[in-house]
Amino acid sequence: MIYEDLGIIEYGKAWDYQERLFAEALSCKEKELKPQSHLLFCEHPHVITIGKHGKQENLLFQEKFLKEKGISVFQIDRGGDVTYHGPGQLVGYPIFDLESFNIGLRQYIFNVEEIIIRFLAGYNIQSERLAGAAGVWIDTAEPSKTRKIAAIGVRSSRFVTMHGFALNVNTDLSYFSLINPCGFIDKGVTSLKKELGSSIDMQEVKIKMKMLFEEIFKNK
């Protein structure tokens, strides 16, 4: 896979770039050629995205108010509901040809969750999956304490993926109060910084996450 660190980039620009790589991969498949897989890492300025099945009521403030606060809003074509992206959050966009890895979409999502779970274990944070909800969670056995540390939302066509995951590293969690994150009203959100009590170097996070992607996603 080709890895790119896009740094801090506006959401719309990153989406346009994903779309171009996605279209190139689909074009290759139409020509019966093997597409190139790409792994993009970045951070975004404050933005709220609403997935194709998202409910408007999970956006708790009007878009005019949000834009006045410097928060963009995008209605997009990934799965999932409403989520927030912002500085201090690692966003990953794998544009992967799943046939190259000999897996389907369900296994792909499982693998991305596994990468995040293993990454967090390196900081002695126990995390896991939650039945019926994509992403990575902490304290799932205690519903009153269950909190989400990473969200996943994907679009796929002909086994090519786009969009991806958002891992809260040093994220300002107060912005999640503007939405019902992923449509949930009874579960909290957290970050690596909150769990550890100190900030983590984002470059360190990117290096470790990239290594885990290379370990788990191997071309067949």
Side-chain angles (χ1 to χ4, degrees), residues 18-93:
Q18 281 190 81
E19 288 278 14
R20 181 161 67 82
L21 296 177
F22 185 71
E24 288 174 1
L26 291 179
S27 177
C28 283
K29 299 201 82 166
E30 287 172 2
K31 298 171 185 175
E32 298 185 350
L33 301 172
K34 187 175 181 179
Q36 176 66 59
S37 289
H38 294 259
L39 177 63
L40 313 177
F41 282 173
C42 65
E43 295 175 67
H44 293 305
H46 303 295
V47 61
I48 290 171
T49 66
I50 307 171
K52 59 186 177 181
H53 302 303
K55 296 179 180 178
Q56 200 66 29
E57 57 263 34
N58 287 323
L59 191 65
L60 303 181
F61 293 84
Q62 294 184 350
E63 290 189 28
K64 181 181 177 182
F65 170 84
L66 296 171
K67 288 178 181 178
E68 288 173 352
K69 297 292 184 183
I71 303 165
S72 303
V73 179
F74 283 83
Q75 188 92 37
I76 63 173
D77 54 1
R78 61 161 169 77
D81 206 295
V82 178
T83 196
Y84 160 80
H85 300 305
Q89 183 189 69
L90 175 63
V91 180
Y93 296 126

XYZ file of all heavy atoms in Angstrom, residues 18-93:
612
model
N -9.775 11.552 -1.770
C -10.250 10.172 -1.647
C -11.050 9.746 -2.870
O -10.873 8.653 -3.404
C -11.168 10.043 -0.431
C -10.530 9.954 0.907
C -11.583 9.590 1.933
O -11.936 8.421 2.068
N -12.118 10.569 2.615
N -11.964 10.625 -3.285
C -12.826 10.319 -4.431
C -11.986 10.049 -5.680
O -12.302 9.151 -6.472
C -13.794 11.474 -4.694
C -14.915 11.619 -3.652
C -16.077 10.672 -3.898
O -15.929 9.718 -4.709
O -17.141 10.874 -3.290
N -10.913 10.821 -5.869
C -10.065 10.622 -7.044
C -9.369 9.266 -6.994
O -9.354 8.522 -7.988
C -9.036 11.751 -7.133
C -8.124 11.627 -8.341
C -7.438 12.937 -8.672
N -6.485 13.354 -7.674
C -5.231 12.890 -7.603
N -4.813 11.965 -8.462
N -4.410 13.339 -6.686
N -8.817 8.919 -5.825
C -8.143 7.620 -5.687
C -9.136 6.466 -5.812
O -8.829 5.427 -6.406
C -7.425 7.549 -4.340
C -6.279 8.539 -4.128
C -5.720 8.401 -2.714
C -5.180 8.344 -5.156
N -10.328 6.662 -5.250
C -11.397 5.661 -5.312
C -11.790 5.411 -6.770
O -11.911 4.267 -7.218
C -12.578 6.181 -4.500
C -13.734 5.239 -4.342
C -13.645 4.108 -3.544
C -14.956 5.507 -4.958
C -14.727 3.258 -3.365
C -16.038 4.667 -4.792
C -15.923 3.539 -3.997
N -11.983 6.499 -7.527
C -12.358 6.386 -8.935
C -11.266 5.702 -9.748
O -11.548 4.889 -10.644
C -12.665 7.770 -9.511
N -10.002 6.020 -9.456
C -8.889 5.385 -10.159
C -8.868 3.881 -9.900
O -8.620 3.079 -10.815
C -7.569 6.011 -9.719
C -7.339 7.414 -10.248
C -6.097 8.072 -9.673
O -5.395 7.413 -8.857
O -5.818 9.230 -10.029
N -9.139 3.489 -8.651
C -9.163 2.059 -8.310
C -10.296 1.341 -9.036
O -10.110 0.240 -9.569
C -9.298 1.881 -6.799
N -11.467 1.974 -9.068
C -12.604 1.359 -9.767
C -12.328 1.257 -11.261
O -12.698 0.256 -11.907
C -13.875 2.166 -9.514
C -14.433 2.126 -8.083
C -15.682 2.994 -7.978
C -14.749 0.694 -7.656
N -11.670 2.252 -11.834
C -11.339 2.223 -13.249
C -10.397 1.061 -13.562
O -10.546 0.363 -14.577
C -10.689 3.547 -13.661
O -10.302 3.530 -15.016
N -9.435 0.833 -12.673
C -8.532 -0.306 -12.846
C -9.301 -1.617 -12.851
O -9.037 -2.502 -13.683
C -7.482 -0.320 -11.738
S -6.154 0.876 -11.935
N -10.244 -1.739 -11.935
C -11.000 -2.986 -11.834
C -11.856 -3.216 -13.080
O -12.013 -4.357 -13.537
C -11.867 -2.991 -10.576
C -11.075 -2.874 -9.289
C -11.808 -3.367 -8.078
C -11.717 -4.860 -7.965
N -12.125 -5.361 -6.647
N -12.387 -2.131 -13.639
C -13.175 -2.251 -14.869
C -12.310 -2.760 -16.019
O -12.787 -3.433 -16.930
C -13.785 -0.898 -15.223
C -14.933 -0.495 -14.303
C -15.398 0.932 -14.532
O -14.838 1.589 -15.451
O -16.312 1.384 -13.816
N -11.015 -2.423 -15.961
C -10.083 -2.872 -16.997
C -9.416 -4.194 -16.626
O -8.479 -4.643 -17.302
C -9.012 -1.797 -17.211
C -9.567 -0.470 -17.708
C -8.493 0.608 -17.682
C -9.065 1.961 -18.063
N -8.065 3.060 -17.924
N -9.901 -4.792 -15.538
C -9.373 -6.054 -15.025
C -7.892 -5.948 -14.656
O -7.109 -6.884 -14.817
C -9.615 -7.194 -16.022
C -11.102 -7.441 -16.281
C -11.348 -8.646 -17.159
O -10.378 -9.195 -17.724
O -12.519 -9.055 -17.265
N -7.531 -4.762 -14.140
C -6.190 -4.533 -13.607
C -6.263 -4.488 -12.085
O -7.315 -4.196 -11.513
C -5.626 -3.216 -14.137
C -5.498 -3.084 -15.645
C -5.109 -1.662 -16.024
C -4.488 -4.087 -16.199
N -5.148 -4.756 -11.430
C -5.117 -4.728 -9.968
C -4.921 -3.299 -9.487
O -3.904 -2.665 -9.804
C -3.985 -5.616 -9.450
C -3.982 -5.778 -7.933
C -2.915 -6.777 -7.515
C -2.907 -6.984 -6.015
N -1.898 -7.969 -5.590
N -5.863 -2.749 -8.703
C -5.717 -1.365 -8.238
C -4.634 -1.226 -7.178
O -4.291 -2.182 -6.480
C -7.095 -1.043 -7.622
C -7.994 -2.151 -8.041
C -7.129 -3.348 -8.264
N -4.116 -0.018 -7.055
C -3.179 0.317 -5.986
C -3.968 0.688 -4.737
O -4.906 1.474 -4.805
C -2.298 1.493 -6.407
C -1.363 1.976 -5.323
C -0.308 0.940 -4.962
O 0.462 0.510 -5.808
N -0.287 0.527 -3.704
N -3.600 0.131 -3.602
C -4.226 0.506 -2.335
C -3.456 1.661 -1.698
O -2.225 1.723 -1.780
C -4.275 -0.691 -1.381
O -5.217 -1.658 -1.835
N -4.200 2.576 -1.086
C -3.619 3.761 -0.448
C -4.072 3.843 1.005
O -5.229 3.523 1.321
C -4.074 5.036 -1.159
C -3.570 5.158 -2.562
N -2.507 5.957 -2.906
C -4.001 4.580 -3.712
C -2.290 5.867 -4.206
N -3.190 5.044 -4.730
N -3.194 4.301 1.873
C -3.526 4.575 3.266
C -3.210 6.033 3.552
O -2.045 6.437 3.489
C -2.738 3.662 4.206
C -2.941 3.899 5.705
C -4.403 3.644 6.114
C -2.000 3.021 6.530
N -4.247 6.818 3.837
C -4.093 8.250 4.097
C -4.342 8.527 5.575
O -5.351 8.075 6.126
C -5.098 9.056 3.262
C -5.224 8.713 1.783
C -6.319 9.576 1.141
C -3.902 8.890 1.059
N -3.432 9.248 6.216
C -3.626 9.716 7.585
C -3.692 11.238 7.573
O -2.975 11.898 6.798
C -2.472 9.287 8.489
C -2.508 7.855 8.946
C -1.438 7.315 9.643
C -3.602 7.044 8.702
C -1.450 6.003 10.085
C -3.632 5.725 9.128
C -2.555 5.204 9.824
N -4.517 11.806 8.449
C -4.618 13.260 8.512
C -5.320 13.689 9.797
O -5.792 12.863 10.579
C -5.370 13.811 7.298
S -7.099 13.328 7.201
N -5.376 15.003 9.989
C -6.243 15.640 10.975
C -7.086 16.666 10.219
O -6.675 17.163 9.175
C -5.436 16.349 12.060
C -4.607 15.435 12.929
C -3.747 16.227 13.914
O -4.305 16.875 14.823
O -2.511 16.206 13.744
N -8.258 16.967 10.752
C -9.128 17.960 10.128
C -9.371 19.139 11.066
O -9.430 18.954 12.288
C -10.489 17.354 9.782
C -10.444 16.318 8.703
N -9.892 16.557 7.470
C -10.906 15.035 8.671
C -10.004 15.464 6.720
N -10.605 14.536 7.428
N -9.558 20.340 10.505
C -10.152 21.420 11.306
C -11.556 20.981 11.730
O -12.108 20.018 11.190
C -10.207 22.596 10.316
C -9.224 22.254 9.242
C -9.236 20.760 9.137
N -12.148 21.681 12.667
C -13.439 21.285 13.234
C -14.493 21.048 12.149
O -14.770 21.925 11.329
C -13.943 22.358 14.201
C -12.989 22.650 15.320
N -12.663 21.716 16.279
C -12.278 23.769 15.625
C -11.796 22.242 17.135
N -11.545 23.480 16.758
N -15.059 19.847 12.147
C -16.069 19.498 11.147
C -16.979 18.412 11.710
O -16.547 17.550 12.485
C -15.393 19.027 9.830
C -14.538 17.788 10.050
C -16.428 18.769 8.744
N -18.245 18.465 11.332
C -19.211 17.419 11.670
C -19.666 16.779 10.370
O -20.002 17.477 9.406
C -20.411 18.000 12.444
C -19.969 18.421 13.846
C -21.552 16.977 12.535
C -21.015 19.209 14.616
N -19.639 15.457 10.319
C -20.092 14.755 9.123
C -21.303 13.890 9.458
O -21.386 13.313 10.545
C -18.974 13.886 8.513
O -18.640 12.826 9.412
C -17.738 14.726 8.222
N -22.207 13.817 8.501
C -23.443 13.050 8.666
C -23.460 11.968 7.600
O -23.441 12.262 6.403
C -24.686 13.954 8.526
C -24.585 15.153 9.479
C -25.958 13.161 8.790
C -25.656 16.206 9.258
N -23.483 10.708 8.012
C -23.483 9.590 7.085
C -24.795 9.468 6.338
O -25.795 10.129 6.660
N -24.815 8.584 5.349
C -25.994 8.485 4.482
C -27.238 7.998 5.212
O -28.350 8.219 4.745
C -25.691 7.585 3.285
C -25.272 6.169 3.640
C -24.846 5.413 2.383
C -24.346 4.010 2.711
N -23.916 3.289 1.490
N -27.066 7.356 6.354
C -28.215 6.926 7.162
C -28.359 7.784 8.417
O -29.099 7.432 9.333
C -28.083 5.453 7.542
C -27.978 4.530 6.362
N -28.937 4.485 5.376
C -27.005 3.647 5.998
C -28.570 3.598 4.460
N -27.404 3.081 4.811
N -27.610 8.896 8.461
C -27.639 9.754 9.643
C -28.966 10.472 9.810
O -29.645 10.808 8.835
N -29.318 10.703 11.054
C -30.568 11.401 11.376
C -30.250 12.847 11.755
O -29.386 13.106 12.582
C -31.277 10.688 12.523
C -31.728 9.267 12.171
C -32.405 8.591 13.349
C -32.840 7.177 12.979
N -33.458 6.479 14.133
N -30.998 13.760 11.151
C -30.749 15.177 11.373
C -30.900 15.563 12.835
O -30.215 16.469 13.321
C -31.692 16.017 10.506
C -31.240 17.448 10.277
C -29.964 17.563 9.444
O -29.690 16.705 8.600
N -29.191 18.611 9.670
N -31.759 14.850 13.575
C -31.969 15.192 14.980
C -30.745 14.891 15.851
O -30.659 15.352 16.997
C -33.200 14.469 15.554
C -33.184 12.959 15.441
C -33.947 12.445 14.237
O -33.940 13.134 13.198
O -34.552 11.361 14.352
N -29.800 14.120 15.306
C -28.569 13.867 16.060
C -27.566 15.015 15.937
O -26.532 15.002 16.590
C -27.939 12.554 15.602
C -28.732 11.352 16.090
O -29.257 11.367 17.204
N -28.843 10.325 15.264
N -27.898 15.990 15.111
C -27.166 17.254 15.062
C -27.912 18.208 15.984
O -29.025 18.623 15.687
C -27.148 17.783 13.623
C -26.216 18.948 13.296
C -24.759 18.537 13.466
C -26.472 19.421 11.866
N -27.337 18.529 17.136
C -28.083 19.186 18.210
C -28.175 20.697 18.076
O -28.881 21.344 18.850
C -27.464 18.811 19.566
C -27.395 17.307 19.865
C -26.787 17.065 21.240
C -28.786 16.667 19.783
N -27.456 21.266 17.097
C -27.514 22.705 16.861
C -27.682 22.950 15.366
O -27.256 22.138 14.542
C -26.233 23.392 17.373
C -26.079 23.354 18.860
C -25.533 22.244 19.492
C -26.492 24.423 19.640
C -25.386 22.197 20.870
C -26.351 24.393 21.013
C -25.808 23.282 21.642
N -28.285 24.071 15.009
C -28.491 24.389 13.606
C -27.155 24.653 12.922
O -26.200 25.146 13.530
C -29.406 25.607 13.467
C -30.831 25.358 13.947
C -31.733 26.563 13.712
O -31.278 27.651 13.363
N -33.027 26.370 13.900
N -27.111 24.331 11.622
C -25.863 24.477 10.872
C -25.364 25.920 10.870
O -24.155 26.166 10.891
C -26.055 23.970 9.434
C -26.204 22.452 9.359
C -26.183 21.931 7.945
O -25.542 22.590 7.085
O -26.791 20.881 7.696
N -26.282 26.886 10.852
C -25.882 28.295 10.869
C -25.083 28.606 12.127
O -24.034 29.254 12.074
C -27.108 29.195 10.786
C -26.774 30.681 10.786
C -28.038 31.538 10.729
C -27.682 33.017 10.798
N -28.893 33.882 10.802
N -25.560 28.103 13.283
C -24.865 28.320 14.557
C -23.485 27.669 14.513
O -22.481 28.259 14.930
C -25.689 27.740 15.703
C -24.963 27.684 17.022
C -24.908 28.796 17.850
C -24.322 26.516 17.435
C -24.233 28.754 19.062
C -23.644 26.462 18.651
C -23.606 27.589 19.460
N -23.415 26.445 13.983
C -22.155 25.720 13.935
C -21.139 26.433 13.043
O -19.965 26.558 13.401
C -22.390 24.288 13.444
C -23.255 23.414 14.366
C -23.599 22.112 13.673
C -22.550 23.139 15.689
N -21.588 26.916 11.897
C -20.682 27.611 10.982
C -20.173 28.909 11.590
O -19.021 29.297 11.375
C -21.392 27.852 9.651
C -21.570 26.556 8.858
C -22.319 26.772 7.560
C -22.479 25.447 6.821
N -23.253 25.592 5.567
N -21.015 29.558 12.390
C -20.565 30.774 13.082
C -19.470 30.457 14.099
O -18.644 31.311 14.425
C -21.756 31.447 13.778
C -22.725 32.119 12.811
C -23.980 32.626 13.498
O -24.173 32.319 14.702
O -24.782 33.309 12.837
N -19.471 29.228 14.598
C -18.453 28.773 15.544
C -17.231 28.185 14.840
O -16.326 27.661 15.490
C -19.051 27.719 16.491
C -20.190 28.240 17.369
C -19.693 29.237 18.396
C -20.787 29.681 19.342
N -20.309 30.703 20.306
N -17.220 28.260 13.502
C -16.085 27.739 12.749
C -16.116 26.245 12.534
O -15.073 25.624 12.292
N -17.310 25.659 12.605
C -17.452 24.206 12.448
C -18.199 23.921 11.153
O -19.353 24.329 10.985
C -18.222 23.590 13.634
C -17.514 23.929 14.954
C -18.357 22.081 13.464
C -18.361 23.675 16.180
N -17.553 23.255 10.217
C -18.182 22.890 8.949
C -19.088 21.684 9.142
O -18.900 20.891 10.072
C -17.122 22.572 7.897
O -16.248 23.664 7.718
N -20.059 21.539 8.255
C -20.965 20.391 8.284
C -21.022 19.788 6.881
O -21.220 20.507 5.899
C -22.386 20.784 8.746
C -23.313 19.554 8.731
C -22.346 21.411 10.137
N -20.822 18.474 6.785
C -20.865 17.776 5.500
C -21.824 16.593 5.577
O -21.754 15.800 6.517
C -19.478 17.250 5.116
C -18.529 18.280 4.600
C -17.804 19.075 5.477
C -18.351 18.458 3.236
C -16.906 20.031 5.015
C -17.459 19.418 2.763
C -16.742 20.204 3.647
N -22.697 16.486 4.602
C -23.524 15.288 4.426
C -22.754 14.401 3.461
O -22.480 14.806 2.319
C -24.886 15.654 3.839
C -25.880 14.511 3.802
C -26.749 14.440 5.041
O -27.135 15.462 5.579
N -27.065 13.229 5.478
N -22.377 13.214 3.881
C -21.471 12.398 3.070
C -22.032 11.005 2.813
O -23.105 10.642 3.320
C -20.067 12.320 3.721
C -20.122 11.636 5.089
C -19.459 13.699 3.849
C -18.769 11.384 5.705
N -21.277 10.223 2.040
C -21.785 8.947 1.535
C -21.199 7.729 2.238
O -21.166 6.643 1.673
C -21.531 8.844 0.030
C -20.074 9.073 -0.341
O -19.247 9.295 0.572
O -19.760 9.038 -1.539
N -20.724 7.895 3.450
C -20.252 6.730 4.217
C -21.416 6.123 4.994
O -22.485 6.726 5.127
C -19.150 7.136 5.197
C -19.596 8.143 6.229
C -18.685 8.216 7.445
N -19.000 9.359 8.288
C -20.033 9.430 9.133
N -20.877 8.418 9.233
N -20.235 10.515 9.862
N -21.193 4.947 5.560
C -22.156 4.381 6.487
C -22.070 5.094 7.827
O -21.185 5.930 8.060
N -22.992 4.800 8.710
C -22.963 5.395 10.042
C -23.793 6.662 10.135
O -24.427 7.093 9.173
N -23.771 7.265 11.302
C -24.629 8.416 11.591
C -23.787 9.693 11.643
O -23.063 10.003 10.707
C -25.382 8.165 12.914
C -26.691 8.917 12.996
O -26.658 10.156 13.025
O -27.754 8.278 13.059
N -23.848 10.411 12.744
C -23.176 11.707 12.874
C -21.895 11.550 13.686
O -21.881 10.851 14.711
C -24.100 12.722 13.580
C -23.402 14.058 13.765
C -25.387 12.910 12.792
N -20.834 12.202 13.253
C -19.614 12.208 14.050
C -18.879 13.536 13.886
O -19.205 14.341 13.026
C -18.689 11.026 13.699
O -17.725 10.864 14.741
C -17.958 11.241 12.388
N -17.910 13.732 14.752
C -17.104 14.958 14.769
C -15.653 14.631 14.467
O -15.126 13.614 14.916
C -17.199 15.621 16.156
C -16.073 16.586 16.449
C -16.090 17.886 15.937
C -14.975 16.198 17.217
C -15.039 18.767 16.185
C -13.929 17.070 17.474
C -13.966 18.354 16.955
O -12.922 19.215 17.189
N -15.002 15.502 13.684
C -13.563 15.421 13.469
C -12.947 16.760 13.848
O -13.554 17.819 13.626
C -13.231 15.135 12.008
C -13.799 13.861 11.483
N -13.568 12.640 12.078
C -14.595 13.613 10.413
C -14.194 11.698 11.393
N -14.822 12.262 10.382
N -11.748 16.710 14.387
C -11.090 17.959 14.750
C -9.628 17.744 15.086
O -9.118 16.617 15.070
N -8.920 18.818 15.403
C -7.501 18.726 15.759
C -7.277 17.739 16.910
O -8.106 17.630 17.823
C -7.160 20.157 16.191
C -8.170 21.018 15.490
C -9.429 20.206 15.449
N -6.165 17.020 16.832
C -5.861 16.049 17.882
C -6.510 14.700 17.672
O -6.350 13.798 18.500
N -7.215 14.538 16.574
C -7.858 13.264 16.250
C -7.175 12.696 15.012
O -7.038 13.390 13.999
C -9.345 13.492 15.977
C -10.141 12.226 15.687
C -11.549 12.569 15.224
O -11.731 13.085 14.135
N -12.543 12.296 16.061
N -6.740 11.446 15.082
C -6.145 10.802 13.912
C -7.259 10.233 13.047
O -8.022 9.368 13.484
C -5.196 9.678 14.320
C -4.614 8.879 13.142
C -3.754 9.768 12.246
C -3.815 7.684 13.626
N -7.347 10.726 11.815
C -8.327 10.223 10.857
C -7.578 9.414 9.807
O -6.551 9.856 9.277
C -9.107 11.375 10.195
C -10.123 10.828 9.197
C -9.809 12.211 11.263
N -8.076 8.211 9.532
C -7.440 7.345 8.546
C -8.397 7.001 7.426
O -9.549 6.632 7.682
N -7.919 7.133 6.192
C -8.721 6.816 5.023
C -8.019 5.734 4.198
O -7.151 6.038 3.374
C -8.931 8.055 4.157
C -9.709 9.162 4.822
C -9.194 10.455 4.892
C -10.961 8.921 5.394
C -9.908 11.483 5.488
C -11.678 9.944 6.003
C -11.148 11.210 6.052
O -11.855 12.230 6.656
